Amino acid sequence: MTPMTTEGENPRTTAPPAPRAPHARRSARRAVAGRLSWGLADQAASSISNFAVGIYVARSLGVTAFGVFSLAWVTYGVVLNVSRGLATDPLVVRFSGVPEASWRAAVARSSGTALGVGAAIGAVCLVAGLGLGGRVGPAFACLGVLLPGLLVQDAWRFSFFAAGTGRKAFVNDLVWSVALVPAMVLAARVGSVAAFVLAWGASAAVAAAYGCLQSGIRPEVGGARAWLREHRDLGSRYLVENVSLSGASQLRAYGLGAIVGVGAVGAVRGAELLMGPFLAVLMGLSLVTVPEAARVLRQAPHRLGTFCLLLGGGQAAGALLWGGTLLLVPDRPGDLVLGGVWHSASQLIVPITLSVAGAGLGTGAAAGLRALGAARRSLRSQLFASACYVGGGLGGAAVAGTVGSAWGVAAATVSGSAVWWLHLRSALREQHHDSVPEVRTT
């Protein structure tokens, strides 16, 4: 097991590495490109699967029942952020690119933690669902039963990327997608929300079981307590950080609907859908950015800042390029894609583009902070960014409606990105200071 760190400690520091030959540098760049490519492929498989499930369920159930299914889906998203903060985020930070024996021991306990989180929160959902009844109750009861499998499947994805074997994560998501097909067909014959939740969660459980075969590792629920204790310096902060991120988005949506109207939420969602292909790329890269930053820190610490700048700058440039392309789209193709939502959504392209560009730029700094294990700085940055997001989105809505909310979020995202980079610069200075050996004179 690699030595653990708290903020301000840096046992990874070693003597500056010897210069590598040009062919070694080219091989290293090809390896990085390969791992990034698998991250994009895995996210593409996941995004296409989620999109197909949403469309199929919506067409099968109708608006009201689809709303109930969406409540279960959103609840899963919140629980997923809890699991990642406690289980897989510390794994990615501290066990990326380590010897296989260390990785396997850590993965067993990390996946066991994810399984334990799923079982605990799943029990709450099950009890709540049985008590609620109606349409919502059975959906939440089924979600509670299947949460452990859903969370373990996600844990395998991050475990494989930590090991640099993104191909296995891609295959695992592909197995989930294939299992979804017959499950959804059977659910459509039943025609209930609970049946679709069961189909979705059961197919994830199939992929979770397959992950055990891929890795040769079984989750150790008994190791969850030790995992949480040993990584509480990171886990507790990442938990708050992840939940604040998803919570800010929900608060902005609810507040926008209350201030302007539900149509405003639809317009913003439509504009986000226009950015969907690029957002899929952004999420795909996010699977591998922290493991790659951790590898850079171990192999060439002095290059971490440059790596993060190239990563964030590249994503911001890509967002601006995609947004500029959207501005050239005529109204007719836009109407074909979004129908009546196109007119209102197209007015938000510029601020939404700036928001995504700001988020992409901040992602580079966030990857660096997580690689450094600077959880306190990372948490401060995320809380500031989340507060700005809610304040900018709702303040803008109160002043200038839907467009004002979009511009408020854009300003907030760019400001949040600046704070991420200020904290990364300070963390890099601390890391550099700790790595300089003390020279004693007599």
Side-chain angles (χ1 to χ4, degrees):
M1 182 181 297
T2 57
M4 293 184 296
T5 65
T6 57
E7 191 169 349
E9 299 177 352
N10 190 9
R12 300 187 186 99
T13 304
T14 57
R20 291 187 292 179
H23 69 276
R25 290 195 296 269
R26 286 194 296 269
S27 297
R29 284 194 292 267
R30 283 196 296 269
V32 171
R35 289 190 291 267
L36 291 176
S37 297
W38 281 117
L40 293 175
D42 177 72
Q43 186 57 47
S46 178
S47 297
I48 292 172
S49 175
N50 290 339
F51 179 77
V53 168
I55 294 296
Y56 189 76
V57 175
R59 290 173 62 89
S60 300
L61 294 179
V63 177
T64 303
F66 180 63
V68 176
F69 181 85
S70 298
L71 287 176
W73 187 293
V74 170
T75 303
Y76 157 70
V78 175
V79 178
L80 186 65
N81 277 326
V82 173
S83 176
R84 288 178 177 178
L86 295 176
T88 53
D89 284 345
L91 173 78
V92 168
V93 169
R94 286 180 168 157
F95 295 93
S96 291
V98 300
E100 184 179 359
S102 297
W103 175 82
R104 293 180 65 85
V107 168
R109 293 187 296 161
S110 173
S111 58
T113 302
L115 181 59
V117 170
I121 302 181
V124 175
C125 288
L126 177 60
V127 172
L130 294 176
L132 284 172
R135 283 187 171 184
V136 176
F140 273 80
C142 292
L143 177 66
V145 172
L146 296 166
L147 267 177
L150 285 161
L151 299 188
V152 170
Q153 191 277 335
D154 186 73
W156 290 131
R157 296 175 69 200
F158 283 84
S159 298
F160 292 140
F161 280 113
T165 55
R167 177 181 58 83
K168 291 184 177 181
F170 171 75
V171 171
N172 193 273
D173 265 331
L174 204 59
V175 168
W176 185 4
S177 299
V178 172
L180 264 171
V181 176
M184 284 290 165
V185 171
L186 290 175
R189 292 182 178 179
V190 177
S192 67
V193 178
F196 278 103
V197 174
L198 280 172
W200 168 54
S203 55
V206 171
Y210 181 67
C212 296
L213 295 177
Q214 286 179 292
S215 63
I217 299 172
R218 289 189 298 177
E220 295 180 3
V221 181
R225 180 176 297 180
W227 177 267
L228 293 174
R229 183 177 62 252
E230 293 170 7
H231 301 282
R232 64 182 179 274
D233 58 315
L234 297 184
S236 60
R237 293 187 174 100
Y238 289 158
L239 171 63
V240 177
E241 185 179 327
N242 290 352
V243 173
S244 71
L245 176 63
S246 57
S249 178
Q250 294 299 317
L251 286 175
R252 187 257 182 134
Y254 295 149
L256 181 60
I259 295 171
V260 183
V262 178
V265 180
V268 171
R269 179 57 181 157
E272 291 173 348
L273 285 174
L274 292 174
M275 296 295 295
F278 181 78
L279 289 174
V281 172
L282 196 66
M283 288 186 289
L285 289 174
S286 70
L287 292 170
V288 291
T289 50
V290 177
E292 290 304 321
R295 288 186 178 88
V296 171
L297 179 62
R298 286 187 173 90
Q299 298 170 7
H302 60 288
R303 294 180 179 170
L304 180 60
T306 302
F307 172 82
C308 294
L309 183 60
L310 290 174
L311 178 66
Q315 292 178 100
L320 294 174
L321 181 62
W322 181 261
T325 303
L326 290 175
L327 292 173
L328 302 177
V329 175
D331 287 337
R332 185 174 179 82
D335 288 332
L336 291 174
V337 175
L338 293 180
V341 180
W342 165 255
H343 177 70
S344 54
S346 62
Q347 300 176 22
L348 308 179
I349 289 176
V350 173
I352 289 290
T353 298
L354 293 176
S355 297
V356 176
L361 185 62
T363 298
L369 285 175
R370 290 207 164 187
L372 288 165
R376 188 178 295 113
R377 291 189 179 277
S378 180
L379 176 58
R380 290 173 185 168
S381 300
Q382 185 58 64
L383 290 177
F384 177 83
S386 297
C388 286
Y389 183 90
V390 175
L394 300 186
V399 173
T402 308
V403 175
S405 179
W407 279 106
V409 167
T413 305
V414 173
S415 299
S417 179
V419 171
W420 278 105
W421 278 100
L422 288 173
H423 274 288
L424 177 61
R425 185 178 66 173
S426 298
L428 286 172
R429 286 178 176 175
E430 292 173 359
Q431 189 266 347
H432 176 71
H433 179 267
D434 292 341
S435 67
V436 175
E438 182 180 1
V439 178
R440 297 183 180 273
T441 57
T442 55

